[in-house]
Amino acid sequence: MFAQQLVNGLMLGGAYALVAIGYTLVFGVLNLLHLAHGEVFMVGAYVGLVLALAGFSPVVILAGAMLAAATLGVLVERVAFRPVRNRGSHVTPLITTIAVGLVLQHVVVKIFGAEPVAFPAPFASAPLDLGLVTLTTLQLIILGTSVVLMALLELFLRSTRTGMAIRATAENQTVAGLMGINVSLAIVVTFAIASALAGAAGVLLAWNFAGLSPFFGVKVGLKGLAIMLLGGLGNVAGAMVGGLIIGVVEVLSVAYLASSYRDAFAFAVMILILLVRPTGLFGARLSTG
Amino acid sequence: MLSDHTISILIFAGIDVIMALSFYLPASAGQLSAGQGGFMALGAYTAAYLTVQYGAPFPLALAAGGLVGGVVGLAVGFPALRLRGLYLVLVTFGFGEMVRVLFLNAPAFGGPAGFAGIPPATTIWHVLGLLVVLIYFFTRLSGSRMGRAFAALRDDEAAAEAMGVNSTYVKLAAFAAGGVIAGLGGALYAHYTLFIDPEAFGVGRSLFVMLYAVFGGLASFWGAVGGAAILSVLPELLRWVKDWREIFYGLLVLATMLVRPQGLLDATLLARLSLRGERAAARG
């Protein structure tokens, strides 16, 4: 029973981590909060829904959602971040991204309605009995996809030139610029990657919950913020571990306490850790662990 | 006289202005709080519980709402001593969420079904009265020792401390006072809507409170007043766009922030306005 809950939590946590990585990448590079990230995630999931209803294969659904979310993320950077980057305080992007989030939410309401809609399962999911725990193939796919995406991100940040440029920009924008790094490009790539991961997470969680609504992004977005804090702002590895922790805590609190407390625990854990270690579990720095 | 509909718009706008001021106060000391909805919930539930369960007179319930908001504000101020900037935004965010979930799980307060049967007590005069008091308070504050300590802390914490500002004391005072104002706002809200539920004070509320104040501009409390007044009446003015309303609203806020990244009333505009006032005074 406990082992089963643990596995369920890890699966949920993997998808949460993908959202949190997006927040933390943007924060690491820009030192700003992206409050429309939850909506980018939600729009990605809806694009996945359209593809799923059109009968495309799960791979196409996932890729399509990631591509759409990445495009949207770059657009958000263009509209809500770049124009105020050097002119406002660090509060201004909070407001511009809230406004963008509001618009995205209600554009989706306009197209798909405000009610939750069912998300078709990608394939007939068979339970897999592993003795101690039972996994469905769908769960395996969700967990596997999150792990693969996180590994790819890690590899990208660690060993490609663009990844290095992103890390350098996070370290110090001015110096990175002086070293010949195209800072604006690094920022755009960061938004594209962060948003693509959110789009993937959108589809994975929509598969998991078998449905979604235009307000899906708010809840998950909040959780992503909590996870980013837990792992340390700008710390990618921290977001991965933090996501898994929050996923497990959430599933365990639903299993052993009241389900209505599920959201409180994420924040209670987060506030507790912050009071003891204000820089998060692993310190704040855009590092590759 | 004014129709009931107009009065209800004015009351809600007034409460929004009060909430925006509750955000502005700690913000004027550099402490950004994304959890004002949580303080509002505490004030609303405290006051409503007192009037419903104990038949407490409204002024007493109102005061209790403010008090609870202030005490919790003080408690939330403590982590604020260690946290800065966006970290603080996130922790106060978490605080607001926790308050919401606590009320969601408190059967004594109705849980998710909400708390109903609150006697009507709030009138436009209560809201206006509190606003007048607050505006007087803020005008007095800006020139006072405390007000200058707030500004010093916001501009440069290290320098402020070097000049003898007790940052611990000032930050706690700012948070507590913000909590009092938000608690009062919540108490007024509860006794006007007559029904409250935890969702009314969630993240959306906290974010909109922040939006109002920043949209108006953080250079002066008049920014918070104006921003909240404009943005809470705006949906009424956008009735003609029907269900495109939220989209229009979002686009308008976005466009305004792009043109005026520091909000409508920024430091430059403020300086120009006060200069004009001084000139007029000199002429007259």
Side-chain angles (χ1 to χ4, degrees), chain A residues 87 92 110 222 229 260 275 278, chain B residues 82 87 93 105 244 258 261:
Chain A
R87 298 199 295 142
T92 315
K110 199 96 187 84
L222 267 174
L229 256 178
S260 47
L275 292 181
Chain B
R82 299 186 62 185
Y87 273 96
F93 225 67
N105 289 285
W244 289 89
L258 293 186

Side-chain angles (χ1 to χ4, degrees), chain B residues 75-255:
Chain B
V76 174
F78 278 101
L81 300 173
R82 299 186 62 185
L83 302 167
R84 260 161 228 183
L86 292 174
Y87 273 96
L88 187 58
V89 169
L90 287 165
V91 168
T92 46
F93 225 67
F95 158 76
E97 267 302 276
M98 286 193 50
V99 171
R100 184 182 68 84
V101 177
L102 284 181
F103 280 115
L104 213 53
N105 289 285
F109 294 101
F115 194 68
I118 306 167
T122 303
T123 65
I124 183 83
W125 302 114
H126 290 116
V127 177
L128 285 179
L130 180 58
L131 274 178
V132 169
V133 171
L134 284 177
I135 287 174
Y136 178 74
F137 166 75
F138 275 100
T139 7
R140 300 288 299 165
L141 181 72
S142 51
S144 75
R145 194 184 160 79
M146 192 52 125
R148 277 177 284 138
F150 282 1
L153 211 54
R154 178 194 57 199
D155 292 341
D156 189 330
E157 191 168 333
E161 283 196 337
M163 300 308 285
V165 172
N166 182 344
S167 71
T168 304
Y169 172 67
V170 173
K171 282 182 185 173
L172 289 179
F175 254 100
V180 170
I181 301 174
L184 290 172
L188 287 174
Y189 177 87
H191 289 83
Y192 185 70
T193 58
L194 313 184
F195 168 81
I196 48 176
D197 69 348
E199 301 308 321
F201 310 107
V203 187
R205 173 78 62 177
S206 296
L207 286 184
F208 266 83
V209 168
M210 179 162 77
L211 180 81
Y212 293 154
V214 178
F215 179 83
L218 292 176
S220 146
F221 75 92
W222 286 112
V225 173
I230 293 170
L231 288 184
S232 57
V233 177
L234 187 62
E236 291 303 318
L237 304 178
L238 286 178
R239 268 176 184 282
W240 54 278
V241 293
K242 302 222 171 60
D243 50 352
W244 289 89
R245 192 148 68 162
E246 285 86 358
I247 299 173
F248 256 72
Y249 188 96
L251 289 175
L252 267 172
V253 171
L254 179 65

Side-chain angles (χ1 to χ4, degrees), chain A residues 258-280:
Chain A
S259 72
S260 47
Y261 275 112
R262 64 190 301 171
D263 298 327
F265 272 95
F267 289 102
V269 168
M270 168 192 114
I271 289 179
L272 224 115
I273 287 182
L274 277 170
L275 292 181
V276 187
R277 271 185 74 89
T279 49

Side-chain angles (χ1 to χ4, degrees), chain A residues 103-127:
Chain A
V103 172
L104 289 178
Q105 223 174 60
H106 286 276
V107 166
V108 171
V109 167
K110 199 96 187 84
I111 301 172
F112 296 93
E115 297 305 311
V117 288
F119 199 98
F123 38 73
S125 189

